[in-house]
Amino acid sequence: MSAPIFYITAKELASCTAGSTFTLTGPEAHHAKVKRLAIGESLDLADGQGCRVHGVVSAISSKGFEVTVQNLDQDDNSLSVSLVQALAKDNRDILAIETGTELGIRSVIPWSADRSIVRWKGERAAKAHQKWQNTVSAAAKQSRRALIPTVEKLHSSQELAEHIRELTTQGAYVYILHEQATEPLSEYLRKIGYSPDSPTRIYILVGPEGGITEREIELFTRAGAHEALLGTEILRASTAGAAALCTINVVLGRW
């Protein structure tokens, strides 16, 4: 079983070197106590940005857990996959970003699509955004990732189209999951020619329960996105992103 992970600040992690000791305190130390970590057990420390410390509990006191650092590493960042998730009812959007985090996404873009039933307005917007960030943070810890995905600001369809134009101009690949597309996502991915030596950014767009409108398809394709097919089945807003991420992980060799 892999070691449990605990998050510290980037500044704290920067002070860790092989052979040094670090004292884990605060809420994360409480979490380690709840997990009943004992002296001699392994654990990881991470800064939430991809840097990880492998260590061993060397002492336990009222101050916290003293960790002896064994080595450090950096998560591979050559392949960056982001999920553009439309707001959806019954917490299907929450399930989507939680699963997406477990499957390796680097960031999430909340999208208020034309047919989204759920809307973020006023005070609810800030609370909803925080709920999304809390969700990906918890999922990152559960799946023991050194990187916690960033939840970007809520985008309208027009704002998303402008963002897509910026991304594609910078060399990113943007795919709209759509049941009427003619080319499978897997075929698009094979054309990328991904290599660990060449950074690649991919964005996957998942629409709401009612689907993506023709207006949105036109906006996004004009901005540089491509429609991509995921089989013949109609997938829910909560599962389409996960299916696409599994495809990416297999075709591009992440798995």
Side-chain angles (χ1 to χ4, degrees):
M1 184 175 179
S2 59
I5 193 167
F6 302 92
Y7 296 111
I8 60 178
T9 66
K11 183 177 180 180
E12 289 173 326
L13 191 139
S15 70
C16 297
T17 57
S20 67
T21 58
F22 176 83
T23 302
L24 183 67
T25 60
E28 291 294 77
H30 176 72
H31 182 215
K33 184 177 181 180
V34 170
K35 293 182 71 66
R36 298 182 182 277
L37 283 187
I39 293 175
E41 289 194 89
S42 298
L43 81 168
D44 288 351
L45 304 173
D47 62 359
Q49 300 174 33
C51 294
R52 184 190 304 263
V53 165
H54 301 284
V56 174
V57 177
S58 53
I60 303 174
S61 69
S62 58
K63 293 182 179 180
F65 287 71
E66 191 170 287
V67 179
T68 298
V69 176
Q70 295 179 314
N71 57 70
L72 299 83
D73 64 35
Q74 172 76 45
D75 281 10
D76 176 31
N77 59 4
S78 59
L79 177 59
S80 172
V81 183
S82 298
L83 178 63
V84 180
Q85 179 66 49
L87 305 187
K89 64 179 183 180
D90 298 329
N91 282 332
R92 290 198 178 112
D93 48 10
I94 291 292
L95 178 57
I97 64 172
E98 180 180 58
T99 307
T101 299
E102 295 173 8
L103 293 170
I105 58 172
R106 186 169 295 272
S107 66
V108 178
I109 299 178
W111 167 30
S112 184
D114 287 353
R115 290 177 176 160
S116 286
I117 296 174
V118 173
R119 297 291 174 181
W120 291 3
K121 294 181 179 180
E123 293 183 1
R124 180 179 181 179
K127 292 180 179 178
H129 186 277
Q130 188 59 53
K131 183 177 181 179
W132 279 41
Q133 188 62 66
N134 292 342
T135 296
V136 299
S137 296
K141 172 168 278 194
Q142 185 279 327
S143 53
R144 293 167 186 171
R145 293 186 59 184
L147 185 144
I148 300 174
T150 301
V151 179
E152 298 187 24
K153 73 177 185 69
L154 178 67
H155 283 59
S156 66
S157 293
Q158 185 61 51
E159 290 170 333
L160 183 56
E162 293 169 1
H163 191 36
I164 289 171
R165 184 171 290 105
E166 293 175 0
L167 292 169
T168 54
T169 299
Q170 296 167 4
Y173 301 91
V174 182
Y175 301 112
I176 310 163
L177 302 184
H178 196 258
E179 69 271 14
Q180 294 181 0
T182 57
E183 184 158 0
L185 176 63
S186 57
E187 290 302 315
Y188 278 117
L189 295 172
R190 291 187 181 98
K191 294 175 183 178
I192 288 178
Y194 166 72
S195 166
D197 298 324
S198 58
T200 299
R201 290 190 297 161
I202 298 173
Y203 288 76
I204 297 295
L205 273 68
V206 177
E209 304 93 324
I212 304 174
T213 65
E214 291 184 7
R215 180 190 83 89
E216 290 170 321
I217 292 290
E218 184 176 359
L219 271 175
F220 302 155
T221 53
R222 281 186 177 182
H226 298 278
E227 294 181 70
L229 183 66
L230 272 180
T232 56
E233 297 81 6
I234 304 300
L235 302 178
R236 286 184 180 273
S238 56
T239 55
L245 290 164
C246 289
T247 302
I248 291 170
N249 286 338
V250 171
V251 174
L252 298 188
R254 176 179 271 175
W255 286 357

